[in-house]
Every structure is written in structure tokens, then in C-alpha cells.
Amino acid sequence: MRPQALRLTRSAPPAPHPPRAMSTQLTLQAPLEVPPAEVTPYLERLWHDGLEGSTGAATFTLLVWDPAWLEQQLVRIGRVDGPITGLDRADVLDAAREIVTLVGLPPSTAPMDPRLAWAVGQQPGSHAATDLRGRTVESAISSLTPRRLITLAPTLDDGHPLETLVAAYCPLPEDGGTGGAACGDVVVLRGGMGAMKQGLGLLQSLVGNDLPCWVWWNSSLDEPPEMLEALAPPPRRLVIDTSLGDPRRCLEVLVDRIDRGQALNDLNWLRLRSWRESLAMVFDPPSRRDALGRVVQLDIDVEGEHPVKGLLLAAWIADRLGWHLVASESVAADVGHGIAAEFQRTDGATVRFRLMPVPVGVPKAHPGAIVGLRLICEPAGRPPLCVILCSESGGCMRLESGGMASMELAEEVVPLPEESEERELARLLGGGHDTTNPLLAAAAPLAAELLPSAAP
Amino acid sequence: MTTILTNPLRVGLRQERVISPQCIVIFGASGDLTHRKLIPALFELFRQRRLPSEFAVLGCARRPWSDEEFRQKMGDSLAEQVAEHPRAWDAFAQGLFYEPVDLQQPEHLVRLGTRLEAVDRLRATRGNRTFYLSVSPEFYGSGCRALAGAGLLADPERSRVVIEKPFGRDYASAQALNKVVQACAKESQVFRIDHYLGKETVQNILVLRFANTIFEPIWNRNYIANVQITAAETVGVEERAGYYESSGALRDMVQNHLTQILALTAMEPPGRFDPEAIRNEKAKVLQSAHLAREDEPWKCCVRGQYAAGGSRAQPLSGYRQEPGVNPNSTTETYVAMKVFIDNWRWQGVPFYLRTGKRLPKRLSEVVLTFREAPVHLFDAAGGAPTPNQLILRIQPDEGADIKFEVKAPGSGMRSRPVDMAFSYDESFGEPSDEGYVRLLADAMLGDPTLFTRSDEVEAAWRLYTPLLELIEEAPWQLPVHPYEARTWGPAASDNLLAEDGLIWRRP
Ligand SMILES: NC(=O)c1ccc[n+]([C@@H]2O[C@H](COP(=O)([O-])OP(=O)(O)OC[C@H]3O[C@@H](n4cnc5c(N)ncnc54)[C@H](OP(=O)(O)O)[C@@H]3O)[C@@H](O)[C@H]2O)c1
């Protein structure tokens, strides 16, 4: 087989799939299918003989677990058109929102909630579509010229045998490519779960040890732990999303990986940035600093029943302000259960904390998005200060009601981040760290402690 | 000044933009700027997690230091910060390397290329490089040539070069230097430092003007009567006599810092917030600026030199008595001038610029004075009503003030001026990034907004060419007037404004 370098071309995605946020996608011209056993020798030959004078970019390897279950299921039942891309697609989110109640889930179920993909999986249908996973690269990522992009693309059909696709690529000059010799290569492993396990055998030699490697677990953390374990041993840097999967499992993975000293990035935590920024802004004027030491109450409202994001926010505040957790319990709420907890401030006084799920009409893509936050402070010798932050898209009436007439009120609207997952990821890859962000590392164990051990 | 307590919630929130893995190569690594500003700024970025793990600093100069010696020397000069954050320093210092390089020896640069490849492998810095020329200005051109000669600037996406001030000594030399630099690298790779642009309050001029709708409609000749830009220092020449004697206030402060402030204050709104759009407008406004009397420049410019002064308890020596200064020196330590901008927005509005050493206060500000109300309806407490002023305070006590008339309490309808003040400290209370922190971060990000482009530098030099030529050819026409240390400059400078019926604002 004569190795051949392919160029990324800027082409419209093959079907009308607008990505969620403005971005260009680069589609790889059809990679070559080679037998699994041939992948490593083929790539070696490619770089030694085929691409003389080029050893590829000395950058990093990105390994993506990309099941795209929801997209695959929606394509299968004919709710969205193929091909399957594995990217953030607006039409998939729309179709998901439409189908939520039809499959018997509460209307505030987030489209990305893994329960939805499962429920859609129970629907009849057998539409087939081309599978382009691993072949379409967000330009924000390709401009970083990853040395190797490996996509694991499990299929719905469990018996699907292992297919391996390979290509060399170079981003277009305007996206940061040199336009000359190839920069990196792309490997796609596709097949049923059995085939994926078989594919694991290839990974060690594909990843190598020379360059930093990021593993993006682009799926629910409820999926087989062996797979996560096999793909992401330290020192690979792991990217997860703790909004996807059972909350306890999500927090366990988070804490466990941080304990093991792995560089861990959580997209759910990163999506808190605008909330943290808005809250910090309120306390920028030095005249308000004193109030920060005198917080008596913290309330957070979240969408649906996924508390992890809200808990991470609370844990970050508690950690920054030096609070100590006294007790936490589950409490009944209008929908499902909330969490009530008590902290002790550094001066010994008590802080009451409540996290409440609230129903919403149009949920955000990810479960457990924050709806609002209220912080009440009682600074010495001054009227109490009540800080209310509300999500741009919804009101936070619950937090605005009751008993605040005598307080100084600081109200802010928190803008929604408008970035696709791929762009968020590109930021991580662009300025990589080999350790976990210390703020997240401090907040994660506290968030796990805040989750009560059992519902009442 | 309010005391600055850090806001515990603010920590870690500055990583909006990520610096990609790279190696910053500092030429002049054994020099003053490196240990006083550059390494502290990089360490600060490191501590704020704004640098990636894949990062390296390669120090270069002629003396034969080892990596270990370089780490040790930098650690010693940052002793205070190192003692405060020993673990962070250890981690940071692992990324410090040193390579003896003489910029005038081509083979040294070839060796440097090899060393850089090794650093890339060791630190996974992806072949991204920022070359920082912190060497004497005479090496800026030859340094770029040497880098280009060794192929180190060949990839415009992955290599950049940062050039310290001063960029040239006059229009011709700046033009010549630009030619050399542009033959070695694309303009997008070149970052010319003006550390005033690293100041948050200078950047705020842009935000204040273009993020608000209330200022722009009145920001023109119909409403603004004149503009004063002041940068006053209390210090004398200190240990910089050698450099200062050949430079003077015009080159040291006006051509770069004051001119940048002038450009930001007077430029047209850019179409979008994009480095090139902003720099286009800055260059354009500087190209339409000229001295009020280009044909007779001595009539619109005043030079001064500080003489002895101070108090009996704290006497201050005059400039000519400072160590290293020629006792007959005619170098100016003070300069004031009047400039016009020939465009629709500013036709006829005088811009007065002044700067000096050994003035009573350390401060930089822009004062926009508005035209008087067309009819005086009320008696003013001070005789005539004070014209409205907008004061942008750049340092210290950064902020903005608006002065306007209100009714004086009591019977009758007398008016008196009051202040509406905004202070950075009271509103944010966070120390803003030190200038070099911001500028280094931007250079490593490849964001040129706060760096001066070739055409801007040239336009700035051209603006002052008549003065520079006059000083060269007929210095007696532009004498240096002595002024007592710790006073607001020579009387001639007050006369410059008095001719227009104005006075300098006494801050
Ligand atoms: N210091 C400041 O506060 C400041 C402020 C604004 C701008 N600047 C500008 O920054 C630049 C550096 O200033 P500085 O005060 O740091 O100067 P400096 O203390 O005199 O340092 C000059 C450096 O250049 C090195 N050097 C000299 N000849 C060299 C050659 N042929 N090849 C390689 N390296 C050479 C010297 O080391 P070796 O002798 O070991 O070679 C030394 O490290 C100047 O352009 C200055 O205008 C400085």
C-alpha cells in the first residue's frame, strides 16, 4: 500500500448540520481503511517513506471517546438526517427537545441527559447513515495541529467488527497550517463494543510516550468504567463532563482522578466560568469585601435533578471563603429532591446552604444548568447585603421573593456561554496544563461531601 | 488610596485567553530589564496559571552562564517572591535555560537553533517561539538579521520577535530600522513595545470612548475646546544619565508614550475590535497630526531643564550637576508643545502635550476641556463658570473625573463646579497587571493590539521631525529654559498656553 498524505479541505459539512456555535469545520478527505494489524506499520511507513523530511508536528495526541449515542439513535429512528458526525449539532438538540416528552421523560430533561439517549434507543427504527466521526475537525482544534487525533467511535450494532481508518493531514494555511508537509495524522477506530475492546490493544503504540496526550471522554460517565480506565491512565490528561451521568458516579470519577494526581479538566466546571466571574465582580469594590466574610445564607437553583454543577459552584465559594462543612441532607423540593447543608465560617458562625431543582420550559443542553444564585451577607454595622445572580435565559423568581426589603440588593444577569464543546476543548488543548486546576481540585472533594449519601 | 485586599473569588479568573505552548527566548538575559521586569512578569503569569505546562524560557547573552547559573541568578534577584512561593519557583525554574549567544556571531545562532530544537523536545513547546530583544537598541536590526539568517523567523505562525524601546532616534533611523526588520519578518511577527500601552488605564481610553454612547457624540471640535496631555515625573535622571543625555524628554517620553495617548484619545472609532483595525485608525490620526507651527516650530514648543531646587532639608541638585551629565548639557528634561490634528473631527482644536522630570507630582492624565455654554445665565461663584472637563487619570489613582457646574447651596442661582469621580481602586480594588505582565502575555498570545506598528512609529517620529531638526541645526532657537526642581516647568511653558488664553490644569 502506498502511503498518501491527505489535506484537510474546507468543505461544507455534507448534510445541513449547523454546528451549535459559529465555527468552521474541516472535513478530511476520505481516509484509507487499513486492517487493524496494519495500522501501526502503515503509519510508520507513512512518516518514514511517504512524507520525507517531515516528522509531523511536535504537539500532542488527542484521543476521543466519541459514542454520540443520542445522535446515532436519532438518526436511526429517522428524527435527524445522517451522516453521523459526533459534533455538537443544533438539529440534534432540537430533535432531542422535541422527543423528550414523547418518550415519557419530564419536560425539563436536558437533551444531553444520557437517559434520553437510552429512551430513544427503545424506539423502533432502522435508518442507516454514513458515519463521519473522527473525520471532521473543528478548526479551533486543527489549528493547534495535533500530532495525532484518535477517535474511538462505538456503533449501535454491538457486533460491528473493528474498522480502522488512517490519514495524514495538514490544516489549511489560514487555520494555522504551514500549507507544506503534513503535520499530523488521524486514526479512527469504529465498531461495536467488542471491537472497541479489541481496538484498545492498538492504542498504546498509537499514543506513544513522547508527546502529551489528552483523552476527551465525550460521553456519559456511566459508561463502562473499564473503558475509561483503559483509555485514560495518568499521565494522560483527561477531559470529562460531570453533567453527564449519575451525579455520584460523576463526582467519584472527578475526586478519584484528582486524588491520583491526574490532570483533570471538567467541561461542567468550565461552564461555571461566567457564574464565578459575575459573583467575583459583585465583590470587586473593596467596600464590599467585608461582606464576604459575613455570609449567612447561600441558595442555588438548578435545572432538573442534576446537582453536580450547583454543588461545584457552592463548593468553590465555600473553599474560597474558608467554610467548613458541618452537615448535608436531602430535602423534598417541588420537583424531586434538593440538598440542604450547613457550613461553619472561619469565625464560627453558621452558613445555611440550599440547592433546589426547579422546573424549566426549555432546558439547556446539559443537565443541571444553574438558574440562579442568592448570597445573603450580614456585614457588621451595615444593612444586610443580598446578591442575586440570574441566568440570562430565565427568571429567578424563587430567589427574588421574600424578606429582602431591608437589604442592600446587588443583582446581576449572568451571560450564557456561547461556545461549542469543541471550542472549549480547543482552549484546554491550546494552553495545556499537566496538573488539575487548583480551584477545581479544592472544590471537587467538597462537592462530593455535599452530596447526601441517600435520598430520604 | 484604598488598601487593596484581594478578592478571594477573583483568583484564577484571568485565563480568558490561553497562551500556547512555547519557548520565550530572551536576548540580553544577563541585563537589567530581564531580572527586573521580564522574569518577574513571567513568574507572575506562571503563578496565575496563565502559562501552559509546556513552556520554557531560554536566556541568551554573551557571558558563558550555565542553565543552573541562570536559574540561580534569577532566583537571587527575585528573592522576595521566591521566598513567598518557593514551590512555584522551583517548578518555574525547571523551565529556565541559558545559552551563550553573541548576536553578532552567525554560528552562535545556528547553535541556538539546535538548542531550541532540544528545548522543544524536552518541554514539548511545539516549535512556538517568542524572541525578545532586550539588548541595546544598536542590536535591534542586526539581531533580527541574525535570527532571520539562522532561519529562526521563517515560520510566521510560530515565531515572533519583540523589540524594546526606543525604536529609532528619528524618522530616518526608524524608517531604516523598519526596513531591516521587515526584510527579516512579516509585520505580524513584529511586536514593538511601548510599555505605556500595557497600562490598564491607557487601554481604558479605548473602552471609555467606544463602549459608551454618551462620549462619542461630543468627542469632537464642536464640543471640545482643547486637550491637555500631561506625563509628569518627580524623579530626576537617576542612574540613566548616559542614556538620557543622548535622548532627552522628547525622545524618551513624547515620541512614544505621549503620542500613543494622543492617538488613543483622538483616533476615529475602528470598525471592529481587531488589532489591525485599531492600529489603522491610530496610524491615520498620527498621520494627520502636525505641530501647530511647522514652519516656525520654536513658536509652538518649549524646552526646559531642571535646575537645583527642593527644600533646605532635602535639597535637589540640578540636571547639570547630576553624575554623568555634561555640566553644559543642553538636553531637555521638560518639553511642552502644541499640536493640531487636521481632520473633520479635530480641525482647530489644540492638543497641548507636556512632560518633565522633577515636577511636583508624579502623574499622567488627559484633560478634555469642553466649550463654554453659549450664554451665561447664572452668576458663577468664581466669576465665569468653569468649563466642563473630562479628566482621564492614567496614574496614579487611576480613574476618571467629570467637572460640571451645579447650583451653589443658598439663595440665588449661583453656580459652582463639582466633581463626579470614578476610581479604579474603589470600584475594583484589584491590582491590575503590571505593564510587562500584560505585554508579555499579549506578545506570547500573538495579539498585537497593544504594540506599535511600523507606520505608527514612523508617523510618530515624523510628527516631531521639525523639532528634532531644529534642536540639531539651530539649538539656540529652542533653548532649554531652566526651571527649579519640583516646580511645574519653565514660565515659557505657561506662556505657550497664555497666548491662547488658557492655563495648564494644576493637578
Ligand atoms: N532597563 C530598563 O528598565 C528598560 C526600560 C525600557 C526599555 N529598556 C530597553 O531594553 C533593552 C535592554 O535594556 P537593559 O537595561 O536590560 O540593558 P543592559 O542591562 O545593558 O543589558 C544588555 C544585555 O545585552 C547583552 N548583550 C550585549 N551585547 C550582546 C550581543 N552582542 N549579543 C547578545 N547579547 C548581548 C548583555 O549581556 P552580555 O554582556 O552577557 O552579552 C546584557 O544582558 C534596551 O534596549 C533598553 O533600551 C530597558
Side-chain angles (χ1 to χ4, degrees):
Chain A
M1 233 172 322
R2 173 108 191 107
Q4 160 195 25
L6 297 177
R7 299 287 293 278
L8 280 176
T9 51
R10 190 188 293 282
S11 62
H17 287 167
R20 205 147 59 89
M22 281 284 291
S23 62
T24 354
Q25 251 102 40
L26 300 176
T27 308
L28 197 66
Q29 291 166 357
L32 208 65
E33 187 170 350
V34 292
E38 270 293 302
V39 172
T40 315
Y42 174 85
L43 283 169
E44 271 165 20
R45 275 205 310 282
L46 177 82
W47 288 101
H48 281 139
D49 320 334
L51 303 163
E52 277 160 56
S54 170
T55 50
T59 52
F60 59 91
T61 299
L62 175 61
L63 178 59
V64 189
W65 172 251
D66 196 15
W69 298 129
L70 178 69
E71 185 185 5
Q72 289 202 67
Q73 297 288 12
L74 289 168
V75 168
R76 182 186 57 80
I77 66 168
R79 281 278 171 162
V80 296
D81 294 327
I84 295 156
T85 65
L87 298 168
D88 240 2
R89 283 168 57 180
D91 58 339
V92 166
L93 293 185
D94 293 344
R97 288 199 171 94
E98 278 166 25
I99 209 168
V100 163
T101 47
L102 302 179
V103 297
L105 288 169
S108 28
T109 308
M112 305 284 278
D113 190 326
R115 289 174 304 177
L116 179 61
W118 187 85
V120 178
Q122 309 310 302
Q123 305 292 311
S126 56
H127 294 262
T130 328
D131 188 346
L132 294 181
R133 279 178 289 170
R135 291 167 54 179
T136 330
V137 190
E138 161 83 42
S139 64
I141 293 178
S142 77
S143 69
L144 301 169
T145 56
R147 172 62 183 77
R148 180 159 290 165
L149 254 168
I150 308 170
T151 303
L152 282 94
T155 53
L156 294 180
D157 167 15
D158 237 354
H160 195 114
L162 181 62
E163 288 173 85
T164 39
L165 307 164
V166 208
Y169 82 97
C170 207
L172 296 172
E174 61 264 39
D175 289 312
T178 53
C183 308
D185 51 42
V186 170
V187 179
V188 183
L189 308 182
R190 185 167 60 208
M193 270 310 205
M196 289 294 100
K197 292 199 178 118
Q198 184 195 341
L200 288 177
L202 297 175
L203 281 182
Q204 188 48 48
S205 70
L206 286 176
V207 169
N209 295 319
D210 299 346
L211 297 172
C213 173
W214 266 271
V215 177
W216 180 20
W217 187 261
N218 185 13
S219 185
S220 159
L221 287 164
D222 290 341
E223 285 185 34
E226 319 84 72
M227 190 54 85
L228 177 62
E229 208 53 46
L231 292 185
R236 292 184 196 165
R237 306 166 187 193
L238 178 58
V239 183
I240 59 172
D241 187 336
T242 58
S243 73
L244 305 178
D246 169 62
R248 186 167 310 283
R249 162 82 184 146
C250 289
L251 286 169
E252 272 168 14
V253 173
L254 191 63
V255 173
D256 170 54
R257 293 283 171 161
I258 292 172
D259 280 350
R260 283 154 66 178
Q262 190 162 24
L264 189 98
N265 300 281
D266 177 10
L267 297 171
N268 202 28
W269 159 262
L270 294 179
R271 286 190 292 264
L272 274 176
R273 195 189 293 118
S274 52
W275 289 88
R276 291 168 47 215
E277 176 65 52
S278 303
L279 190 62
M281 219 160 73
V282 173
F283 291 98
D284 275 334
S287 58
R288 289 227 176 107
R289 294 290 159 75
D290 174 45
L292 266 184
R294 307 294 184 117
V295 176
V296 295
Q297 189 181 332
L298 169 66
D299 296 277
I300 294 176
D301 282 359
V302 299
E303 288 183 10
E305 278 202 75
H306 203 284
V308 175
K309 192 172 183 183
L311 290 179
L312 285 170
L313 182 58
W316 164 70
I317 298 172
D319 170 62
R320 295 314 304 157
L321 302 182
W323 303 345
H324 169 76
L325 180 63
V326 178
S328 166
E329 59 175 352
S330 180
V331 291
D334 293 346
V335 288
H337 294 97
I339 294 168
E342 208 180 284
F343 289 99
Q344 198 175 44
R345 293 193 321 224
T346 45
D347 61 0
T350 299
V351 184
R352 254 166 42 94
F353 168 59
R354 285 260 180 298
L355 179 133
M356 286 294 169
V358 292
V360 282
V362 184
K364 306 271 169 1
H366 296 86
I370 311 259
V371 176
L373 171 149
R374 178 173 62 189
L375 194 69
I376 298 179
C377 314
E378 290 178 350
R382 293 181 43 181
L385 168 71
C386 175
V387 178
I388 296 184
L389 305 182
C390 290
S391 154
E392 193 174 57
S393 61
C396 44
M397 259 112 68
R398 208 187 68 82
L399 297 177
E400 282 168 333
S401 61
M404 282 143 22
S406 60
M407 301 187 189
E408 182 196 345
L409 198 63
E411 220 167 340
E412 299 285 337
V413 174
V414 181
L416 296 175
E418 244 325 316
E419 278 197 315
S420 70
E421 305 287 72
E422 285 83 3
R423 294 210 149 231
E424 196 66 85
L425 183 71
R427 285 161 63 103
L428 282 177
L429 302 175
H433 284 282
D434 59 5
T435 52
T436 301
N437 179 316
L439 296 172
L440 171 61
L446 195 50
E449 277 180 64
L450 271 169
L451 190 69
S453 35
Chain B
M1 266 240 341
T2 23
T3 41
I4 292 175
L5 304 159
T6 44
N7 173 354
L9 304 180
R10 177 67 44 215
V11 174
L13 279 172
R14 289 195 180 172
Q15 285 112 327
E16 325 79 58
R17 301 176 304 162
V18 291
I19 295 172
S20 42
Q22 63 186 287
C23 179
I24 175 160
V25 184
I26 303 177
F27 294 99
S30 55
D32 174 62
L33 189 69
T34 303
H35 72 85
R36 247 174 9 93
K37 295 286 186 186
L38 304 181
I39 297 291
L42 290 167
F43 185 45
E44 175 67 24
L45 287 167
F46 177 82
R47 288 204 311 105
Q48 294 181 14
R49 276 178 77 84
R50 285 155 75 185
L51 293 182
S53 316
E54 287 84 30
F55 186 79
V57 181
L58 179 58
C60 297
R62 288 167 310 177
R63 63 200 73 183
W65 284 352
S66 65
D67 291 346
E68 211 30 66
E69 270 176 294
F70 181 50
R71 286 173 196 156
Q72 191 63 43
K73 293 247 169 23
M74 295 303 121
D76 291 348
S77 68
L78 267 74
E80 221 168 277
Q81 289 101 305
V82 173
E84 209 174 317
H85 312 282
R87 286 183 47 204
W89 175 261
D90 287 345
F92 176 74
Q94 297 220 325
L96 295 182
F97 303 91
Y98 185 88
E99 178 74 24
V101 172
D102 183 340
L103 278 169
Q104 288 169 305
Q105 307 281 334
E107 69 280 7
H108 286 199
L109 285 121
V110 175
R111 185 158 39 79
L112 173 65
T114 317
R115 181 75 201 269
L116 275 170
E117 279 166 25
V119 170
D120 272 342
R121 275 194 301 279
L122 193 67
R123 305 284 297 177
T125 39
R126 307 186 188 177
N128 289 326
R129 284 135 199 197
T130 301
F131 297 98
Y132 198 116
L133 292 177
S134 174
V135 287
S136 142
E138 68 194 280
F139 292 126
Y140 294 164
S142 54
C144 286
R145 268 206 212 103
L147 284 170
L152 293 171
L153 297 175
D155 184 344
E157 302 297 332
R158 307 211 184 286
S159 54
R160 294 166 278 284
V161 48
V162 182
I163 302 179
E164 259 299 337
K165 75 160 203 179
F167 196 91
R169 304 193 24 89
D170 51 27
Y171 179 53
S173 59
Q175 229 182 357
L177 183 53
N178 269 331
K179 274 219 182 71
V180 173
V181 171
Q182 283 166 336
C184 300
K186 291 193 178 166
E187 181 63 34
S188 64
Q189 289 171 272
V190 183
F191 292 73
R192 297 173 191 79
I193 289 244
D194 186 316
H195 58 248
Y196 248 55
L197 289 176
K199 292 186 193 297
E200 206 116 59
T201 32
V202 173
Q203 297 154 30
N204 189 44
I205 299 177
L206 275 182
V207 178
L208 184 100
R209 286 191 57 195
F210 303 130
N212 298 298
T213 50
I214 55 170
F215 297 115
E216 209 40 32
I218 53 170
W219 208 269
N220 56 49
R221 62 193 300 270
N222 298 328
Y223 294 91
I224 293 178
N226 67 78
V227 179
Q228 296 183 9
I229 300 176
T230 299
E233 297 178 282
T234 50
V235 293
V237 66
E238 301 187 304
E239 318 83 64
R240 295 171 65 219
Y243 153 77
Y244 202 82
E245 272 285 272
S246 66
S247 143
L250 186 54
R251 288 193 170 91
D252 186 46
M253 291 293 288
V254 179
Q255 179 275 337
N256 39 36
H257 307 329
L258 266 71
T259 307
Q260 284 297 325
I261 296 177
L262 171 72
L264 293 173
T265 308
M267 68 191 260
E268 295 296 314
R272 57 214 139 82
F273 188 77
D274 146 313
E276 293 321 313
I278 292 173
R279 301 201 297 176
N280 286 343
E281 295 306 335
K282 282 170 65 195
K284 262 199 269 179
V285 76
L286 292 180
Q287 282 153 1
S288 26
H290 62 87
L291 297 174
R293 305 286 297 270
E294 276 197 308
D295 43 339
E296 300 176 308
W298 57 90
K299 293 197 170 155
C300 68
C301 174
V302 172
R303 293 202 300 153
Q305 192 185 64
Y306 65 84
S311 58
R312 191 167 316 159
Q314 249 194 329
L316 297 166
S317 48
Y319 179 70
R320 293 180 182 183
Q321 288 80 53
E322 301 272 20
V325 172
N326 174 354
N328 298 316
S329 170
T330 54
T331 301
E332 78 280 355
T333 64
Y334 178 100
V335 61
M337 69 187 70
K338 179 175 165 186
V339 168
F340 282 119
I341 295 172
D342 274 339
N343 63 17
W344 278 56
R345 186 185 287 269
W346 295 117
Q347 185 64 46
V349 178
F351 285 75
Y352 302 97
L353 277 50
R354 67 171 163 169
T355 182
K357 288 191 177 297
R358 282 271 187 259
L359 300 186
K361 273 189 185 176
R362 170 178 168 265
L363 108 167
S364 300
E365 64 175 23
V366 180
V367 182
L368 298 112
T369 304
F370 292 86
R371 294 194 184 282
E372 281 182 31
V375 183
H376 295 172
L377 294 177
F378 310 107
D379 285 344
T386 321
N388 297 147
Q389 283 186 326
L390 173 61
I391 298 154
L392 308 176
R393 283 178 277 117
I394 290 162
Q395 66 181 19
D397 189 21
E398 295 85 344
D401 287 289
I402 296 181
K403 282 193 188 301
F404 55 98
E405 295 279 300
V406 298
K407 181 185 170 305
S411 61
M413 275 301 217
R414 282 162 69 83
S415 70
R416 54 165 272 196
V418 290
D419 259 0
M420 202 158 84
F422 155 77
S423 144
Y424 258 79
D425 270 355
E426 279 162 33
S427 309
F428 304 122
E430 282 292 306
S432 54
D433 280 348
E434 204 270 331
Y436 273 99
V437 172
R438 175 66 198 265
L439 292 173
L440 270 170
D442 278 13
M444 292 187 289
L445 279 159
D447 179 348
T449 314
L450 303 178
F451 297 84
T452 39
R453 206 167 59 184
S454 56
D455 49 351
E456 279 182 75
V457 182
E458 289 179 19
W461 279 119
R462 188 161 36 198
L463 175 54
Y464 305 107
T465 297
L467 291 177
L468 292 166
E469 281 173 355
L470 190 66
I471 295 172
E472 194 70 25
E473 289 155 18
W476 61 90
Q477 285 194 294
L478 210 58
V480 282
H481 301 277
Y483 60 96
E484 193 183 321
R486 291 290 158 86
T487 63
W488 283 108
S493 148
D494 291 338
N495 297 343
L496 184 70
L497 270 73
E499 282 168 19
D500 298 335
L502 298 171
I503 52 169
W504 289 108
R505 187 180 108 86
R506 286 279 175 266

